[in-house]
Amino acid sequence: QVQLVESGGGSVQPGGSLRLSCKISGNFDDTGLMGWFRQVPEKEREGVAAIDSDGTTYADSVKGRFTISLGADRNTLYLQMNSLKTEDTGVYYCSARARVMTAKVWLLTATPAYGYWGQGTQVTVSS
């Protein structure tokens, strides 16, 4: 059984920074896809960033501001978020799945029905 537990969410003013963490436990091959998604009420879940053996992939809306990385233990996934904007507000979910598609396609098509998901952590960007 694979479990993902996010932490690090909170409230910050526009222009501020936050770092999210996701602890992955259980039998998961770290050569698979790992990433971050976010969701706001009444909207579909949106892919933010992903990492796999080929490197990193980002949504256009966060390029240059967010950085995804995998810890040295290979079990902790991070999302460093800088220059935060009000539109970055949402519940951020960590996810992992076997590499059955490219990271770019995964960010565009992922649904909670497939792969492993954390419980989410709230990020609020407001003045």
Side-chain angles (χ1 to χ4, degrees):
Q1 183 75 8
V2 177
Q3 291 187 323
L4 291 81
V5 179
E6 302 100 334
S7 61
S11 296
V12 64
Q13 292 186 339
S17 298
L18 282 174
R19 189 174 83 154
L20 305 182
S21 300
C22 173
K23 186 69 175 178
I24 304 172
S25 60
N27 187 23
F28 179 74
D29 184 351
D30 63 11
T31 64
L33 294 164
M34 291 171 279
W36 292 93
F37 296 75
R38 65 187 180 192
Q39 190 167 21
V40 296
E42 301 182 354
K43 286 192 175 182
E44 291 187 354
R45 198 164 293 190
E46 172 191 23
V48 174
I51 188 168
D52 63 4
S53 55
D54 288 341
T56 57
T57 303
Y58 297 92
D60 289 342
S61 60
V62 306
K63 280 181 182 177
R65 300 188 298 121
F66 290 12
T67 303
I68 188 171
S69 62
L70 191 61
D73 62 0
R74 308 291 297 176
N75 292 325
T76 306
L77 187 68
Y78 298 101
L79 185 68
Q80 178 66 44
M81 304 185 294
N82 299 328
S83 302
L84 281 161
K85 304 176 181 180
T86 55
E87 52 263 44
D88 294 318
T89 293
V91 178
Y92 282 68
Y93 297 90
C94 173
S95 181
R97 70 166 298 169
R99 195 175 186 278
V100 296
M101 63 186 71
T102 66
K104 183 177 181 179
V105 171
W106 185 47
L107 288 182
L108 292 173
T109 64
T111 73
Y114 298 96
Y116 304 100
W117 295 83
Q119 80 289 350
T121 185
Q122 177 71 44
V123 171
T124 302
V125 184
S126 173
S127 56

